Amino acid sequence: MPLPRPRLRTVVLVAGAALLARRALHRRIQRSPLWPLPALEEPVSGHAERRVTTTWRLLVTERSTPAEGVVRLRLKGSGLPAWQPGAHLDVLLPSGLVRQYSLCGDPADPDTYTIATRLVEGGRGGSREVHERLREGEEVEVREPRNRFPLTEAPAYLFVAGGIGITPVLPMLRALAASGADWRLLYGGRSRASMPFLDEIGRLDADGGRVTVVAEDEAGRPDIAAALADTAPGTAVYCCGPEPLMDAVAAALPPGRSLHLERFTASGPSADATAFEVELRRSGRTVQVPADRSVLAAVREEVPYVSYSCEQGFCGTCRQRVVEGEADHRDELLTESERADTMLICVSRCRGPRLVLDL
């Protein structure tokens, strides 16, 4: 029995609409702007060999204030990964922020990590969360320690620390003091009350003559050039602190000394930084990256969902595959092999006029 004319018309219209929808869907998959399916014939993202990230949940067993505005936390676990002086720890804060803090405890203690952080007024929220939320009895998640600031063999050592920059240096001083090595420390800060671990540092220098403490409210700023001029060739110079301090050490470093720096934040665009464009291959878009902006900031205007966290080149959340072009790597995380085809877009830039990301 044939369908009535109105019902037949409805069936035809529905079938036609379904056919048009299927064709539109097919075209969209081929173009793939912001579509979940990749436009690349052989998609790149998610197909690289990735580092397996293991986390540990640790208990805050002790909280103390070694200086004004500074909180020290002892984090207790079991069978934690070993670490060496200079290592830092990724801390996954309750809010979801990821922050990096130098380990300043004892590497010989297999069940405890110790960190310290200064409250940064007007910062991005990480230090405030540590100060306000992490109390004794709270749990916090951490990743395995990494070390981009290792203590190397040298005939002599000079350490230059500014404020909370003493944290990665402290385990080094302990190790060198125990070994009888030749070391000296120039430690500066706004005031003695704001400089953590002064008592312990004083005990490490029981004989006197190794440590110079310069509080700005008492004696102005430390004489970096004089301290460096007093070093012998072959001396390893370690510096951690504010950017101006590290710039001053680098500028005054005599020939024949090795320089080792630990930065709290990624270095910003250099004075000769240039603009470039970034093609987002799977999204089908191209963005312009000005000389004074990061790739992440420019990309997020077009692709708001792109993942990121620390914005300092430490955590790896914003890692993207590079399809074409040469990345100018400025991170503190990726290995040389990983840098061959990936980059952290929060800090790294482009060596050239154009970069293509699998995004």
Side-chain angles (χ1 to χ4, degrees), residues 276 278-280 287 289 293-301 303 305-314 316-322 327-331 334 342-350 355-359:
F276 56 95
V278 175
E279 178 189 338
L280 311 179
V287 299
V289 182
R293 297 193 72 196
S294 68
V295 177
L296 174 64
V299 167
R300 289 192 69 236
E301 291 185 356
V303 188
Y305 62 76
V306 67
S307 299
Y308 70 99
S309 181
C310 76
E311 297 184 77
Q312 298 178 25
F314 295 127
T317 305
C318 68
R319 180 178 171 183
Q320 298 293 335
R321 289 295 307 276
V322 178
D328 178 9
H329 297 284
R330 304 185 182 190
D331 64 274
L334 299 181
T342 64
M343 67 182 290
L344 302 189
I345 63 173
C346 65
V347 293
S348 297
R349 300 184 67 78
C350 177
L355 200 64
V356 181
L357 300 180
D358 178 40
L359 180 65

Side-chain angles (χ1 to χ4, degrees), residues 7 16 62 72 98 112 143 151 155 167 180 195 255 273 284 294 300 303 309:
R7 290 183 60 190
E62 183 182 332
R72 174 174 53 191
V98 180
T112 304
R143 294 176 182 151
L151 184 61
T167 50
M195 300 166 69
S294 68
R300 289 192 69 236
V303 188
S309 181

Side-chain angles (χ1 to χ4, degrees), residues 3-349:
L3 291 173
R5 234 174 242 284
R7 290 183 60 190
L8 178 61
R9 186 181 299 111
T10 300
V11 170
V12 171
L13 290 174
V14 170
L19 179 61
L20 292 174
R22 287 182 61 186
R23 289 177 177 173
L25 179 61
H26 181 68
R27 287 195 299 270
R28 178 156 191 176
I29 290 173
Q30 288 182 321
R31 293 196 310 269
S32 191
L34 300 184
W35 190 253
L37 300 178
L40 300 178
E41 292 183 5
E42 296 183 4
V44 179
S45 286
H47 288 253
E49 182 179 346
R50 297 277 179 161
R51 159 191 305 117
V52 176
T53 302
T54 304
T55 62
W56 287 261
R57 291 198 68 81
L58 306 184
L59 182 68
V60 180
T61 58
E62 183 182 332
R63 174 187 167 107
S64 59
T65 53
E68 290 179 355
V70 177
V71 163
R72 174 174 53 191
L73 301 176
R74 295 191 188 278
L75 311 176
K76 193 77 171 179
S78 178
L80 301 177
W83 61 280
Q84 297 298 321
H88 67 267
L89 194 67
D90 285 350
V91 179
L92 286 66
L93 297 173
S95 68
L97 292 175
V98 180
R99 293 294 181 264
Q100 293 69 39
Y101 300 108
S102 296
L103 288 164
C104 57
D106 183 1
D109 185 347
D111 298 325
T112 304
Y113 289 154
T114 302
I115 60 173
T117 179
R118 182 181 300 283
L119 178 63
V120 180
E121 297 291 350
R124 294 179 301 119
S127 66
R128 180 165 297 281
E129 185 170 357
V130 170
H131 279 245
E132 295 180 354
R133 294 191 59 178
L134 296 187
R135 306 285 176 177
E136 292 181 7
E138 297 283 343
E139 284 190 337
V140 65
E141 196 170 4
V142 304
R143 294 176 182 151
E144 184 172 354
R146 301 194 304 273
N147 199 337
R148 298 281 181 173
F149 194 49
L151 184 61
T152 60
E153 291 286 340
Y157 300 85
L158 171 65
F159 297 91
V160 181
I164 198 64
I166 194 65
T167 50
V169 168
L170 189 58
M172 297 183 184
L173 300 183
R174 294 194 197 106
L176 294 176
S179 70
D182 181 5
W183 64 273
R184 290 188 296 126
L185 168 67
L186 177 60
Y187 183 17
R190 296 191 305 272
S191 66
R192 288 179 179 269
S194 70
M195 300 166 69
F197 310 121
L198 282 177
D199 290 344
E200 181 178 354
I201 291 169
R203 291 192 294 271
L204 293 174
D205 187 31
D207 297 333
R210 294 183 183 273
V211 175
T212 301
V213 176
V214 181
E216 191 171 339
D217 62 348
E218 298 174 4
R221 297 183 178 179
D223 191 339
I224 303 295
L228 290 169
D230 197 29
T231 59
T235 298
V237 178
Y238 282 77
C239 180
C240 183
E243 287 291 328
L245 175 68
M246 292 190 288
D247 291 343
V249 171
L253 187 74
R257 284 73 168 169
S258 61
L259 179 59
H260 310 263
L261 302 175
E262 173 79 325
R263 301 182 184 276
F264 293 139
T265 59
S267 55
S270 57
D272 60 350
T274 58
F276 56 95
E277 70 175 25
V278 175
E279 178 189 338
L280 311 179
R281 179 62 55 87
R282 284 190 291 143
S283 301
R285 303 187 181 195
T286 298
V287 299
Q288 302 300 318
V289 182
D292 60 348
R293 297 193 72 196
S294 68
V295 177
L296 174 64
V299 167
R300 289 192 69 236
E301 291 185 356
E302 294 291 334
V303 188
Y305 62 76
V306 67
S307 299
Y308 70 99
S309 181
C310 76
E311 297 184 77
Q312 298 178 25
F314 295 127
C315 73
T317 305
C318 68
R319 180 178 171 183
Q320 298 293 335
R321 289 295 307 276
V322 178
V323 180
E324 295 177 19
E326 183 182 0
D328 178 9
H329 297 284
R330 304 185 182 190
D331 64 274
E332 298 292 335
L333 176 67
L334 299 181
T335 64
E336 288 305 313
S337 61
E338 291 170 332
R339 290 182 175 188
D341 61 356
T342 64
M343 67 182 290
L344 302 189
I345 63 173
C346 65
V347 293
S348 297
R349 300 184 67 78

